[in-house]
Amino acid sequence: MGAYWSKVTLKILVDKKKNRVVFAEADKDFVDILFSFLTMPMGTIVRLTRKQSGSTALGCMKDLYEGLGNLNVVHFKSDKAKSLLLRPSNSSEHLCRKLKINIDDTEPTKYRFRYSSQDMYLIEDNVDQNDDQMGGVFVNGKTRFLISDDLRILQLSTTNSVELLSKFGVRDVNAVEEESVSVGIEEVLALLRLSFHSVTPLTDLFLLKCVGHCGAFKTDPTGFVQRTVHPSFSYKKINLKIMLRRSCGMVLYAEAQEDFVDFLFSLLSIPLGSTVKLLDKTPSLRCIANLYISVQNLSPGRDFKSEYIKTKLLSPKLAQQFCYNIQVLGINESFQPHNRCLFQEVDSIRVTEFDANISSTLPPIGVNAYMDGPATFVVTDDLVVTPLSSISSIFLLKKFQVPITDIEERVVSVGGEEALRLLEASLTSKLALTHAFNLKPKIPKTEK
């Protein structure tokens, strides 16, 4: 994690009548920090924000993460499989280490290589070539930006300034004042959390001082839509048994094999940018969706250092070792054995590109699976995973105070569409299984 004394200063324009930030004006350092959110795996975001006071955003990802931590290591393929999921690597870690404030304290990935040919050659990646002239990590160091209260990032211009004033209902310019604010690690962490929860994160952070508390979380059971599923999704259907309340269709829990638990825990390794892309920039992700749309709208030549950098934000890949064999959502690793690949050198921070004929002494751990099997687990509606036990299942029913006559068992299949709905529900609801599967209660037949 970046040094606690590292600070970034930005100017904010405040509507004093409404006590609201209209927009902020910032250079590369702050905008790079915001864009770095898109490179972070979901597990890292949960780990960094879950212990902050009042942190109730991120749906039930926190419950999924904590259930993972509480699960005995004997249920995993190895000790390292569990530790990888608890602290997933960022495939852009080599870039994020250069941020003025880097909130991700995950240990850098280290690789050792043996070469299969005398003819290997190195090509230094163009990411680092222009650092002295271009500055910045993701954005052009000479460019300044406007950041609206809902995290839309625009080029600095009079036209955009006036449009933001109009958008936020500022009719009298005498009602606005300029302030300078200082941003450190605590503020960046709070802003990351608020970005999922609030539609006014800058106001909440700088004027309402919501550094340690982000208010009540509200679920939105009506926000899920049918999505177009990419043909490469769902190499295999995953089946699980759902126990639900017959009268209302609410899921009590699911009984699942290790393949479904593999899928659930793999959600923690997906970078945020890929999550937003998979969910087609759904409004349920609030300001995070706005941040992603801003990357789409900004120019790779003028605003970003390269098209390559823009692509890494819009379609970040899984870090090496996190692409397991049942890829329901079809996200690739940053390293693939038969392509030219980016690696980090052991003894330097330089990013280099090696030819394909390389064999690493650290083979991918997640390619077969994370969980050991055969095994059966209980998954609650808020995605807490525990080993199956007849006694614990009965106590679950006792906890919900559900009559035996109101319990119904159904078997469902999880493919691409169901996986997308479950991904969205895990981020936006505390009733993930109920909202993802939307199992309507059966209407009893009327007696003749």
Side-chain angles (χ1 to χ4, degrees):
M1 189 176 285
Y4 271 93
W5 56 84
S6 297
K7 297 285 184 180
V8 172
T9 301
L10 62 153
K11 297 176 182 178
I12 59 173
L13 192 69
V14 178
D15 183 342
K16 289 297 183 180
K17 289 183 178 180
K18 298 180 179 178
N19 193 35
R20 180 172 184 175
V21 173
V22 181
F23 60 77
E25 184 177 319
D27 62 12
K28 60 180 175 59
D29 290 332
F30 187 68
V31 175
D32 274 337
I33 292 167
L34 291 181
F35 285 156
S36 75
F37 294 170
L38 297 174
T39 72
M40 291 182 181
M42 294 307 309
T44 298
I45 294 172
V46 173
R47 179 175 59 81
L48 293 174
T49 62
R50 70 191 176 105
K51 292 185 178 180
Q52 296 181 348
S53 173
S55 182
T56 53
L58 285 172
C60 48
M61 275 285 183
K62 178 182 175 183
D63 304 278
L64 178 64
Y65 183 90
E66 292 183 346
L68 165 66
N70 293 331
L71 203 56
N72 194 303
V73 73
V74 300
H75 298 291
F76 294 84
K77 288 286 188 182
S78 66
D79 291 2
K80 188 159 189 179
K82 179 178 178 179
S83 63
L84 282 172
L85 288 168
L86 287 171
R87 300 182 74 90
S89 299
N90 184 336
S91 61
S92 294
E93 63 182 16
H94 58 287
L95 295 171
C96 292
R97 282 198 303 273
K98 303 174 190 176
L99 294 167
K100 185 72 175 288
I101 301 174
N102 179 22
I103 60 175
D104 186 358
D105 60 354
T106 307
E107 286 295 318
T109 305
K110 294 182 179 180
Y111 299 103
R112 299 189 299 274
F113 302 101
R114 60 175 181 268
Y115 299 90
S116 59
S117 167
Q118 295 288 331
D119 299 323
M120 288 295 149
Y121 59 90
L122 296 168
I123 303 176
E124 187 168 350
D125 185 73
N126 62 10
V127 173
D128 293 332
Q129 286 180 350
N130 298 319
D131 272 357
D132 293 338
Q133 299 140 338
M134 302 288 281
V137 176
F138 301 108
V139 300
N140 187 333
K142 298 178 181 179
T143 306
R144 291 184 63 79
F145 300 87
L146 293 176
I147 307 168
S148 67
D149 197 11
D150 57 356
L151 297 192
R152 296 181 187 274
I153 299 177
L154 308 167
Q155 291 177 352
L156 180 65
S157 71
T158 302
T159 301
N160 287 335
S161 301
V162 172
E163 286 181 357
L164 287 176
L165 287 170
S166 176
K167 175 184 175 181
F168 291 104
V170 178
R171 301 287 180 263
D172 181 6
V173 293
N174 293 316
V176 297
E177 294 182 6
E178 177 188 309
E179 296 182 13
S180 290
V181 292
S182 183
V183 178
I185 282 182
E186 290 302 317
E187 289 78 14
V188 174
L189 284 170
L191 189 56
L192 173 59
R193 186 183 70 248
L194 289 164
S195 300
F196 287 90
H197 167 79
S198 173
V199 293
T200 58
L202 296 186
T203 293
D204 293 344
L205 178 63
F206 297 123
L207 301 185
L208 303 182
K209 307 300 181 184
C210 297
V211 175
H213 182 77
C214 70
F217 178 78
K218 296 180 180 179
T219 62
D220 180 14
T222 63
F224 305 107
V225 298
Q226 185 172 352
R227 303 189 181 281
T228 302
V229 180
H230 192 277
S232 65
F233 288 6
S234 279
Y235 299 160
K236 173 185 175 183
K237 289 278 187 178
I238 301 175
N239 294 323
L240 66 155
K241 186 192 300 181
I242 296 284
M243 307 299 291
L244 72 154
R245 191 160 188 167
R246 186 195 308 271
S247 57
C248 62
M250 181 176 176
V251 174
L252 301 174
Y253 62 88
E255 291 184 11
Q257 306 303 312
E258 66 274 10
D259 54 359
F260 182 71
V261 176
D262 269 332
F263 162 70
L264 281 184
F265 287 154
S266 77
L267 300 182
L268 296 169
S269 69
I270 299 178
L272 178 56
S274 288
T275 299
V276 181
K277 180 180 179 180
L278 285 167
L279 299 178
D280 195 24
K281 306 178 290 290
T282 174
S284 64
L285 292 178
R286 296 175 174 82
C287 295
I288 288 296
N290 293 339
L291 197 62
Y292 186 92
I293 293 169
S294 298
V295 177
Q296 286 185 314
N297 292 340
L298 290 172
S299 166
R302 173 185 170 87
D303 303 309
F304 291 103
K305 293 173 65 175
S306 67
E307 182 71 47
Y308 166 77
I309 287 291
K310 181 173 179 176
T311 300
K312 285 187 76 68
L313 295 173
L314 293 176
S315 302
K317 295 181 179 180
L318 298 170
Q320 189 185 6
Q321 308 177 70
F322 288 91
C323 189
Y324 74 112
N325 62 346
I326 304 175
Q327 265 295 301
V328 182
L329 292 174
I331 305 175
N332 294 321
E333 279 186 355
S334 57
F335 164 66
Q336 297 189 50
H338 302 296
N339 294 305
R340 299 172 66 83
C341 319
L342 289 174
F343 286 100
Q344 174 194 342
E345 288 185 326
V346 174
D347 297 322
S348 75
I349 297 177
R350 183 179 60 179
V351 177
T352 54
E353 186 179 54
F354 288 84
D355 195 71
N357 299 315
I358 289 181
S359 177
S360 171
T361 59
L362 296 178
I365 293 210
V367 292
N368 293 322
Y370 300 119
M371 311 306 296
D372 202 7
T376 306
F377 300 86
V378 169
V379 182
T380 58
D381 204 4
D382 56 356
L383 301 187
V384 176
V385 178
T386 55
L388 176 65
S389 161
S390 297
I391 294 177
S392 62
S393 299
I394 291 172
F395 273 94
L396 269 177
L397 298 177
K398 182 178 179 180
K399 172 186 174 182
F400 293 122
Q401 293 293 298
V402 180
I404 298 295
T405 55
D406 196 24
I407 298 173
E408 180 183 334
E409 177 185 309
R410 295 194 199 175
V411 175
V412 298
S413 293
V414 179
E417 182 181 338
E418 294 81 9
L420 288 174
R421 289 172 64 87
L422 191 51
L423 173 60
E424 182 172 0
S426 69
L427 287 165
T428 59
S429 170
K430 296 296 284 185
L431 307 172
L433 297 181
T434 294
H435 291 159
F437 293 110
N438 194 23
L439 300 172
K440 301 294 184 183
K442 292 182 179 178
I443 302 174
K445 296 180 179 179
T446 57
E447 295 184 5
K448 294 183 179 179

